[in-house]
Amino acid sequence: MRVALVYDLRDDYRALGFSEEEVAEFDSVETIDALAGALAALGVEPVRVGRGQVLAARLAAGERYDIVFSIAEGVRGRAREAQVPALCELFDQPYLFSDPLTAAAAHDKAVAKRLVRDAGVATPAFAVAERSADEVAGWSDFPAFVKPLAEGTGKGCEAGSLVETQAELQAAVARVIARYRQPVLVEQYLPGREFTVGIAGNGDEARVLGVCEIVLKPNAEANVYSLRNKELCEELVTYAPASDAEARLAGTRALTAYRALQCRDAARIDFRSDAKGEPYFLEANPLAGLHPSHSDLPILAAQNGIDFVTLIGLILDAGLARYGLSRAKQSRRKHA
């Protein structure tokens, strides 16, 4: 069984002149080596393809794989995480993880919030400024948090994102619009615990792998799981396994959100609690990072007795099953 590995490598984009912030969502050589090693340990052949453009050229030339394992984030646009899934569908190429609609909807944080809220899972009050800070001049739910509408890995999340007054809000919104050239999400800041929830599987078989509390150390950037805190997580963050009632409630609500967004194979869902200990949905990541020791999903999986190879096996097997495939059976059937 040939499994195509598709990814955006940080070093490739650095060579093209991208900044460290611009490559923050992309992957390191260590991540790709670990994925290839895990796939080989699972008895399949990893084929290192690289960027989505390379995959497009190979598919157009007639090459096919049993399945595509893509962690490519894309470079431009709010639907950039949907580019490789859409490409695979164009060429009738089986692939892992969520389809283009879910990938695009989840990447737009406001769209994801509306869909999850309609499924009955609470999310903090929020508003979107498309072009100007004037669009949120009537905002009154302080403190508030300001971040780009369609970024990941904590991009645009920093000390200045937490605002207490309308003047601070206006300045933060204007700064993010100018810096990221995209709309801005403003949401009510909740003072409680922060959780990330790992989920794997599909339909009724989808299950919570574990719940992890994000605890910032005293030397971390305060009050925010920022890009800096994520990049230096070994020094600045404690990932605490959580299984108390509040954490279990976050897990239950995360599974509802996962199904509402129609995530597939695996995802990570983020929550933050209010002062009363009620977990609220923040965002979903249907293309969670997979560095074995640096990314949240493998970290929380390991905390719950699921080693890296087993985690990759769970994801691979869930995706293969959607196509009527398994590592032992490579005959494909049509699926709904």
Side-chain angles (χ1 to χ4, degrees):
M1 176 173 283
R2 299 172 74 238
V3 178
L5 269 175
V6 180
Y7 48 85
D8 293 312
L9 199 61
R10 287 186 177 190
D11 290 346
D12 290 344
Y13 288 93
R14 287 188 183 108
L16 294 173
F18 282 58
S19 70
E20 287 305 305
E21 183 180 48
E22 288 174 320
V23 304
E25 283 190 83
F26 300 154
D27 288 288
S28 65
V29 173
E30 291 80 8
T31 299
I32 309 310
D33 287 346
L35 283 172
L39 290 169
L42 292 165
V44 301
E45 179 190 351
V47 181
R48 301 189 192 210
V49 173
R51 290 184 284 176
Q53 295 94 325
V54 179
L55 177 66
R58 292 194 181 188
L59 293 176
E63 187 167 356
R64 293 294 183 271
Y65 310 92
D66 290 287
I67 202 158
V68 167
F69 193 130
S70 174
I71 54 172
E73 303 277 357
V75 177
R76 299 281 184 264
R78 67 175 183 173
R80 55 190 170 84
E81 290 189 357
Q83 291 168 355
V84 170
L87 175 65
C88 288
E89 293 198 350
L90 180 65
F91 284 94
D92 196 28
Q93 166 64 64
Y95 64 98
L96 295 175
F97 298 116
S98 294
D99 71 4
L101 180 59
T102 292
H107 201 59
D108 184 312
K109 294 177 175 60
V111 171
K113 284 174 174 289
R114 294 182 188 110
L115 291 170
V116 170
R117 183 181 60 190
D118 285 353
V121 178
T123 189
F126 68 95
V128 176
E130 297 280 349
R131 294 172 297 277
S132 165
D134 294 340
E135 297 170 60
V136 290
W139 180 271
S140 59
D141 289 317
F142 292 102
F145 199 84
V146 178
K147 57 187 173 184
L149 183 67
E151 294 292 350
T153 318
K155 283 186 181 180
C157 297
E158 53 202 16
S161 299
L162 182 59
V163 298
E164 302 279 354
T165 66
Q166 181 61 227
E168 290 178 356
L169 174 64
Q170 292 283 309
V173 170
R175 182 173 63 248
V176 173
I177 288 176
R179 182 173 171 184
Y180 293 97
R181 296 186 178 87
Q182 64 178 269
V184 172
L185 180 75
V186 178
E187 64 183 356
Q188 182 183 15
Y189 179 80
L190 301 180
R193 300 160 70 190
E194 185 163 352
F195 301 104
T196 190
V197 183
I199 298 176
N202 296 305
D204 292 340
E205 295 182 358
R207 65 183 179 95
V208 173
L209 300 179
V211 181
C212 181
E213 183 176 0
I214 308 299
V215 182
L216 302 180
K217 295 181 180 179
N219 57 332
E221 197 166 18
N223 301 314
V224 52
Y225 193 27
S226 64
L227 174 59
R228 178 177 181 271
N229 288 340
K230 289 186 177 186
E231 288 293 282
L232 302 175
C233 64
E234 291 85 357
E235 304 169 25
L236 304 177
V237 181
T238 297
Y239 296 94
S243 58
D244 59 277
E246 187 176 339
R248 292 196 303 272
L249 185 55
T252 298
R253 292 177 177 176
L255 195 56
T256 300
Y258 183 91
R259 289 171 172 151
L261 292 168
Q262 298 181 26
C263 296
R264 300 194 315 202
D265 304 339
R268 207 194 69 243
I269 316 290
D270 296 337
F271 279 78
R272 193 173 181 100
S273 294
D274 64 9
K276 297 178 180 179
E278 284 288 331
Y280 284 66
F281 170 83
L282 293 182
E283 57 189 75
N285 190 341
L287 203 60
L290 289 174
H291 187 287
S293 61
H294 187 78
S295 297
D296 295 2
L297 182 58
I299 288 172
L300 70 85
Q303 290 174 344
N304 288 274
I306 303 169
D307 64 50
F308 186 69
V309 173
T310 301
L311 173 64
I312 300 306
L314 288 173
I315 296 169
L316 177 61
D317 290 343
L320 288 171
R322 290 189 287 102
Y323 294 95
L325 293 169
S326 69
R327 281 178 271 161
K329 177 186 175 185
Q330 300 182 38
S331 61
R332 182 182 174 194
R333 63 172 173 78
K334 292 292 182 181
H335 62 291

